[in-house]
Amino acid sequence: MSKPIVTLATSAALPNLSEDDAPLPDALAERGIEPRVAVWDDPDVDWGQAGLVVLRSVHDYANRRDEFVEWAATVPKLANHADVVRWNTDKHYMVELEKRGMPTIPTTWLEPEQKLNKHQLHTRFPAGGDFVVKPAVSSGAHGTGRYTAVDGYSRMAAIEHAMELLNEGRSVMVQRYLESVDNRGETALIYMNGLVSHAVEKEAMLGGAFRPDVEAPPEVAHAREATAAEWQLGEQARNAIHSYIKSRMGRDEQLTFCRIDVVEGTQGQMHVLEVSLVDASLYLSTTPGAVDNFADAIAVRAFW
């Protein structure tokens, strides 16, 4: 009996996987799987012969989303499914999840078709405190800036940032910046095949205005025990996710991997900041057993 094949799809910038994912091929081999690594847009790869394809460091999708989702639709056996990829690569998915009861950070959506001028942008920004401007299609913190509402120069920089994105035909999100991110970071809750794997604390990354000539800082994450309230919010989010997938995509399946980022708001209220089902960093190196959890989750799918 031949071994099942699992291909870990990555980007040209990380053709040998990220450092965090590097132990994964050996862990898959230990489970009787033939592991492969391939760049998602490599024209020489026959994805029909790639077995189960698991998305990993495909962070470049944000600049080529249409091409990426079209590619995903051609992959015969993709984890997570191509319909999920199309949906989760545009942060408008947060609107759908909020409708299903998932607590989110209040967001002002700015759309290119609104043809907003600078004054209209100004009126849509918060009147006080810090706030964030980011594109609806983005990976990590790329394209994201943090601004101060009461500082004229900072506010003008936010207007220029949003206007540039809108002129590129990109939707824009405006959200209040929660001070708890500076004090205790974000918590990432990580699930594999519907089971809890581990949680990490991600340190604050946003220090100021977005600058296209400056790379986004690397994420810094540490293992931590999530609170009962955080896990409860994670389950609430997962229920919303699966409700959407079942009702809109006509399928009811566990996701091979799912990362839910949560933050604490005012008066201790918890909010979901992001749901990552495509290029999610899973912080496998932070927690003993995390690599094995992921390899087990993949193996279940590979041997189906």
Side-chain angles (χ1 to χ4, degrees), residues 73-85:
T74 68
V75 178
K77 195 175 180 183
L78 182 66
N80 295 314
H81 193 275
D83 290 341
V84 173
V85 169

Side-chain angles (χ1 to χ4, degrees), residues 83-101:
D83 290 341
V84 173
V85 169
R86 179 178 292 276
W87 173 61
N88 191 238
T89 48
D90 185 326
K91 290 183 176 61
H92 282 91
Y93 70 77
M94 297 290 287
V95 177
E96 295 290 344
L97 296 182
E98 185 178 24
K99 290 177 182 177
R100 286 167 169 77

Side-chain angles (χ1 to χ4, degrees), residues 88-246:
N88 191 238
T89 48
D90 185 326
K91 290 183 176 61
H92 282 91
Y93 70 77
M94 297 290 287
V95 177
E96 295 290 344
L97 296 182
E98 185 178 24
K99 290 177 182 177
R100 286 167 169 77
M102 188 183 81
T104 64
I105 299 175
T107 302
T108 298
W109 296 89
L110 310 175
E111 306 295 348
E113 56 268 23
Q114 292 175 301
K115 305 295 184 183
L116 300 171
N117 58 38
K118 291 184 177 181
H119 175 72
Q120 290 169 321
L121 290 178
H122 167 75
T123 62
R124 284 162 170 79
F125 289 166
D130 284 9
F131 63 97
V132 173
V133 173
K134 60 185 175 182
V137 177
S138 63
S139 178
H142 185 73
T144 302
R146 174 181 173 180
Y147 304 94
T148 300
V150 296
D151 181 277
Y153 290 104
S154 183
R155 197 174 184 90
M156 182 55 66
I159 292 171
E160 295 294 341
H161 181 187
M163 185 63 73
E164 182 176 351
L165 292 171
L166 291 168
N167 288 340
E168 293 172 356
R170 304 173 71 182
S171 299
V172 175
M173 305 168 68
V174 180
Q175 298 175 321
R176 285 196 177 278
Y177 186 84
L178 300 179
E179 292 183 2
S180 66
V181 176
D182 288 336
N183 298 331
R184 57 167 296 184
E186 305 167 18
T187 300
L189 308 174
I190 296 156
Y191 304 80
M192 296 169 182
N193 271 0
L195 301 176
V196 169
S197 175
H198 57 289
V200 301
E201 177 184 313
K202 300 194 295 177
E203 295 182 5
M205 296 174 61
L206 297 179
F210 169 67
R211 291 179 55 190
D213 58 329
V214 176
E215 287 289 328
E219 287 188 328
V220 178
H222 311 280
R224 68 177 291 265
E225 292 292 331
T227 66
E230 289 169 336
W231 285 123
Q232 183 177 6
L233 178 56
E235 288 305 307
Q236 192 174 351
R238 291 204 315 127
N239 288 337
I241 293 164
H242 288 285
S243 170
Y244 178 85
I245 291 174
K246 187 174 182 178

